[in-house]
Amino acid sequence: MTEFNEILPENTVFVHVSFEGPDRYSLAGGLGVRTSELSEALAREGFETHLFFVGSPDAPPREVEEDGRHLWRVCQEICSRYPTGVYQGEGEKLAEFERSVPGLLLNEIARPAVEKGKLLVIMGEDWHTASTMCAISDLLYWQGLRGHAILLWNANSLFGFDNIDWVRLQTATRVTAVSRYMKQLMWPRGVNALVLPNGIPERHLEPVPSAHVQLLRAALPNRVVLTKFARFDPDKNWLPAVQAVARLQALEQQPLFFMRGGVESYGLQVLARIDSLGLRRYDLTLDNPTVENFVEAVKAIEGETDIVVLRFYVPEEIQRLLYRASHAVLANSGHEPFGLVGLEVMAARGIAFVGSTGEGYAQHLLNAISLDTGDPNEIVGNLVYLQNHPQASANLRRVGHLTARFYIWPRVIEKLISKLQYLLMGGGTTWP
């Protein structure tokens, strides 16, 4: 029987190419979280791993972390002139990204990897990297190295799709997507993507300290606590969420809604809608947020507000506490390529109210509340149902946590390796 090489840390090098990355400057949303955590998880599995991204101008151009991951920061001179974040000066950064990354990758990673007899796996993320991935493929081809590399390009969202040369991209790479929902949205473009889901770090499965949960709940007696973290975008269904708060108030349910949006201008419409509904809102700011001073601040305003707008960077410890202590976390998007927040809520033993698009992990009343519409009455109706059936709430928290265990990054990497093994079976790519 013919033996096939197995993809292992000793014979494979992974390269991640992404506009966003792990620096605070470079993190803008789910894309930065995905690229940062997946590359970190691959390094922890023992693979030589490199990540190219638009990096902070104050950090080293190249850095090797303790887990062995190599960080390659590009466009730093341009970033120094655009201090706000990764997407300020986007066009100028994109041109430099496309110019600099292919050659750097070829000379610093591809050639040494082939000389050591290793297979290259290069993964580009979202539309900003599509042209760069095509250029990488061309450069490897002309240097006689293309047959020793698997190139993947991954779709995390629909943004920028009209800027992509799909024929060229599919010639240069194998296209992947984060969910079956995204895969189906790509069919009209003639693309049949492989599905590589998102994941969560194993630390998210750790219990939220029960003392913290009790502390927050004691500060909010008789309140129906709701939480929502999302960009201010119409797709995130912010208006149905605040309308649900108003209807709960009309039912004398005493809701308290914690909300954390972004800097997008749509947030003004959301705040205006809150005011028009007669809901009392309070802007909460904390300089050095901890669980203790957060709970004290909430206790001080508890009887004076219906909505708490979190106007500070919310650390993971407080975010997970809100997920666990809330009666519902509204991840109720109308369009969600994957729905990472819902999965994070499940990991914290919270109750996730998710939409019905990319959240393929969600099963209604088994591990989450899966909403079919943008009607706020659907949110309220399901909350009332859970109040009348406390065992159902307990089951959602338990099974949700079990579901999250199947989406930790080591398990997602197993799926990635299996897809790569399939691509090797197609021929055309071999170890040097």
Side-chain angles (χ1 to χ4, degrees):
M1 179 181 292
T2 302
E3 292 188 5
F4 296 96
N5 281 330
E6 183 180 357
I7 294 173
L8 298 168
E10 53 263 31
N11 63 19
T12 306
V13 175
F14 279 90
V15 183
H16 227 121
V17 181
S18 171
F19 217 63
E20 295 186 31
D23 295 349
R24 178 71 67 85
Y25 178 90
S26 312
L27 272 172
L31 172 61
V33 173
R34 172 186 166 84
T35 56
S36 301
E37 292 181 350
L38 177 53
S39 59
E40 184 180 37
L42 283 165
R44 287 181 175 174
E45 292 289 314
F47 289 97
E48 180 183 335
T49 306
H50 302 262
L51 171 58
F52 288 83
F53 64 101
V54 177
S56 169
D58 302 322
R62 180 179 178 182
E63 182 179 358
V64 182
E65 297 186 311
E66 289 184 5
D67 57 17
R69 180 176 61 167
H70 299 248
L71 300 180
W72 299 81
R73 296 179 175 92
V74 297
C75 306
Q76 286 183 291
E77 188 278 327
I78 301 173
C79 294
S80 67
R81 293 187 275 111
Y82 295 104
T84 302
V86 63
Y87 291 113
Q88 187 187 24
E90 181 178 359
E92 195 174 343
K93 291 173 181 174
L94 181 57
E96 174 62 17
F97 192 90
E98 293 173 350
R99 185 198 67 79
S100 62
V101 170
L104 192 60
L105 191 155
L106 169 70
N107 294 317
E108 299 293 334
I109 300 171
R111 283 199 176 108
V114 171
E115 288 172 2
K116 295 175 185 176
K118 294 188 176 185
L119 179 73
L120 271 170
V121 178
I122 305 172
M123 303 188 298
E125 298 281 349
D126 268 10
W127 79 269
H128 288 97
T129 69
S131 293
T132 301
M133 290 298 294
C134 292
I136 291 169
S137 177
D138 292 345
L139 192 57
L140 293 177
Y141 177 80
W142 289 112
Q143 296 296 317
L145 305 178
R146 183 63 181 85
H148 304 311
I150 297 176
L151 270 64
L152 307 175
W153 178 85
N154 186 63
N156 295 278
S157 71
L158 298 176
F159 292 127
F161 269 25
D162 292 337
N163 299 319
I164 295 173
D165 183 341
W166 290 99
V167 174
R168 186 182 180 214
L169 182 64
Q170 290 190 87
T171 301
T173 72
R174 185 58 191 259
V175 176
T176 65
V178 289
S179 64
R180 288 181 179 150
Y181 168 71
M182 278 296 295
K183 173 188 176 82
Q184 291 164 5
L185 291 180
M186 296 166 75
W187 282 343
R189 297 180 182 270
V191 180
N192 189 26
L194 297 177
V195 176
L196 294 176
N198 274 326
I200 57 174
E202 292 176 270
R203 70 177 186 276
H204 284 188
L205 296 175
E206 297 173 3
V208 177
S210 58
H212 291 171
V213 177
Q214 293 169 8
L215 195 65
L216 182 57
R217 286 180 173 168
L220 302 172
N222 305 316
R223 302 301 293 264
V224 176
V225 180
L226 309 175
T227 296
K228 185 174 179 66
F229 282 76
R231 296 190 322 274
F232 280 130
D233 186 288
D235 284 340
K236 299 301 182 181
N237 274 348
W238 277 100
L239 297 186
V242 298
Q243 288 166 344
V245 175
R247 296 185 187 190
L248 285 167
Q249 187 187 61
L251 293 172
E252 299 182 350
Q253 292 291 302
Q254 301 185 60
L256 183 62
F257 183 35
F258 291 93
M259 56 179 281
R260 169 70 170 147
V263 298
E264 300 81 9
S265 60
Y266 182 69
L268 298 175
Q269 295 184 44
V270 176
L271 297 179
R273 186 60 174 150
I274 291 171
D275 295 340
S276 71
L277 290 169
L279 297 170
R280 301 168 299 166
R281 61 181 172 94
Y282 183 89
D283 289 358
L284 179 60
T285 59
L286 291 174
D287 292 330
N288 297 295
T290 65
V291 167
E292 289 75 18
N293 64 24
F294 171 70
V295 171
E296 286 303 314
V298 169
K299 189 185 299 184
I301 62 172
E302 185 272 325
E304 303 172 5
T305 186
D306 307 304
I307 293 182
V308 180
V309 183
L310 303 175
R311 298 289 192 181
F312 59 93
Y313 175 76
V314 182
E316 188 175 290
E317 184 182 32
I318 294 176
Q319 189 172 3
R320 297 188 73 234
L321 170 61
L322 284 170
Y323 289 167
R324 178 66 179 89
S326 294
H327 294 83
V329 180
L330 302 182
N332 58 314
S333 298
H335 161 68
E336 192 64 68
F338 180 80
L340 190 58
V341 171
L343 204 57
E344 292 171 345
V345 173
M346 292 180 179
R349 293 186 184 269
I351 297 178
F353 279 49
V354 301
S356 298
T357 51
E359 303 91 339
Y361 53 80
Q363 297 293 318
H364 184 60
L365 275 183
L366 177 64
N367 57 13
I369 296 297
S370 185
L371 302 169
D372 293 319
T373 72
D375 185 349
N377 285 321
E378 190 179 9
I379 297 173
V380 175
N382 278 286
L383 273 168
V384 171
Y385 178 87
L386 293 179
Q387 288 178 350
N388 293 332
H389 298 83
Q391 188 57 49
S393 294
N395 290 340
L396 287 175
R397 295 182 188 275
R398 178 178 58 84
V399 180
H401 187 262
L402 291 173
T403 301
R405 297 180 69 86
F406 290 98
Y407 287 88
I408 57 174
W409 280 117
R411 288 184 178 265
V412 172
I413 289 173
E414 290 175 1
K415 296 175 177 135
L416 169 61
I417 299 299
S418 73
K419 298 294 173 75
L420 294 173
Q421 208 73 55
Y422 151 65
L423 293 177
L424 283 173
M425 296 296 294
T429 304
T430 60
W431 270 266

